[in-house]
Amino acid sequence: MSEAPKKIYIRTFGCQMNDYDSERMYRLMEREGWQRQAEPEGADLIVVNTCSVREKAEHKALSEVGMMRKYKAEKPGTMIALAGCVAQQMGETLLRKSPDLDLVFGTHAIDKLPALIENCAHEKRLAETSWDYDSLIDFEKIAPTATDNSLSWKGTRASGFVPIMRGCDKHCTFCIVPQTRGKEVSRPIDDIVREVRDLVDHGIKDVTLLGQIVNRYGRTFAETKAPVFHELLDELAKIEGIYRLRFTSSHPTYITPELIARFRDMPQLASHVHLPVQSGSDRLLKTMRRGHKIDEYLDKVRELREARPGISITTDLIVGYPGETEDEFELTLQLIRDAEFDSLYAFKYSPRPNTPAENEPETLTESEKSDRLARLFEVALPQALARNKALVGKSMDILVEGESRTPGRYYGRTACNRMVYFPAESLAVGDVVAVRIDEAFQNALAGTLAAN
Ligand code: SAM
Ligand code: F3S
């Protein structure tokens, strides 16, 4: 009798890049004959894929490892691995801190996972955090393409993610990403086109391009004539069957006239731009080394809205950066009103190790930061609701993503990235239907199928 396949379970924290990396890990291990599973019970390998962008990351990662300890006790021989940004940042120290850990591997070691598991099984506990830019460029080897039968996505998903670059060279003073993901590297255009085409061939209609600053795509290629971001979009828009193209995150400095023109002329481009700004104060933007001013930011927002009426603009904001005065915080509130963000993410500043701002003395207490965050949402949330309410009565094209828990109700996304719930009979994932918006909430819309 042949041996039962080994099983892998991955617990993923953090951003979409981490989701993609976890998918790569699953794929790699499936190629070695392993099976993925949705629960940690009974797994032979448990991976905790971590995020370190905000504080307590290490604590959170190690407490998750602690939670997984019982599965190891129940099934001796089970390995526990820690991956992702906390692993890259702390490496071997983690093995000392947690006796439960068998393996620590960083963001550049993902393609080595099968070999690392093999070594771990035969030898001892390992930490692998060296930088390996060559393996990163060679995504093709390990990309979670849909061609594999074990991963047939047909009919189960309408949207997919494709990284177009890795790392970041921007070194904003608060941010740990350049330390945990390394230098910026763009992926060859042919590989991206092939992967997107593959997803589309397998029924994916809505593709999100991923990167820390996607609109810097191509700028690190050596050739002077290397393609840049809007040219990548042009290539992808030619793929037959692609319905929507999205991207995240972008940086205001690299929103070029050519990119804005694509929002005017390229129907496949979704009506949404996530454009992190961080603060409404020019002084703080300079301190944070963001490289632009608020006026310039508002100009880009206005140009995007002129090019694509109804486009949704979302952002990231930080409150309580060292030295942020009450007046500067109020400039952030004013920016939320002026830019009329459709929604936003806001965070309390937390100092991160080895970042330029790490040693800046903090000038606000946790409770003052919490207070500012609450005041920020008092402005942002009613505004988000009002912008959603402005859509009531409109008919919008919805890409169906699934059936909700209530039978007979479906959900899907608008081009402007809003989730819409509506009743219907027997729709399939990936169908596109026109829905009239009847009701608006802070984070979603509800409607009814519009008559054709
Ligand atoms: N690549 C994105 C960009 O263009 O700005 C940001 C990536 S970061 C993973 C996501 C968000 O986390 C940032 O936009 C910022 O608002 C927030 N963030 C990063 N470092 C932070 C820190 N030390 N404290 C609080 N928030 C932070
Ligand atoms: Fe971080 Fe700034 Fe890059 S926020 S990911 S260093 S653009």
Side-chain angles (χ1 to χ4, degrees), residues 15 51-55 168 172-177 211-213 248-252 274-278 290 315-319 345-352 355:
C15 64
C51 167
S52 61
V53 97
R54 278 167 292 276
E55 70 181 334
C168 185
C172 301
T173 53
F174 52 83
C175 185
I176 200 170
V177 170
Q212 297 303 335
I213 307 185
T248 192
S249 286
S250 49
H251 190 290
H274 185 64
L275 199 56
V277 62
Q278 315 301 353
R290 291 289 294 177
T315 200
D316 291 346
L317 290 163
I318 294 178
V319 299
Y345 297 96
F347 313 99
K348 289 190 278 181
Y349 170 73
S350 66
R352 308 304 300 121
T355 55

Side-chain angles (χ1 to χ4, degrees), residues 241-277:
I242 192 145
Y243 178 63
R244 276 181 195 152
L245 266 173
R246 304 178 183 275
F247 53 81
T248 192
S249 286
S250 49
H251 190 290
T253 304
Y254 311 97
I255 300 279
T256 57
E258 292 84 356
L259 179 55
I260 291 171
R262 298 304 181 276
F263 281 98
R264 192 172 297 118
D265 304 330
M266 189 184 277
Q268 296 91 335
L269 210 49
S271 298
H272 175 215
V273 179
H274 185 64
L275 199 56
V277 62

Side-chain angles (χ1 to χ4, degrees), residues 221-240:
F221 286 137
E223 321 90 77
T224 43
K225 286 227 164 116
V228 292
F229 187 56
H230 65 267
E231 292 164 333
L232 169 66
L233 292 178
D234 292 344
E235 286 309 304
L236 296 176
K238 288 181 198 158
I239 295 176
E240 209 179 315

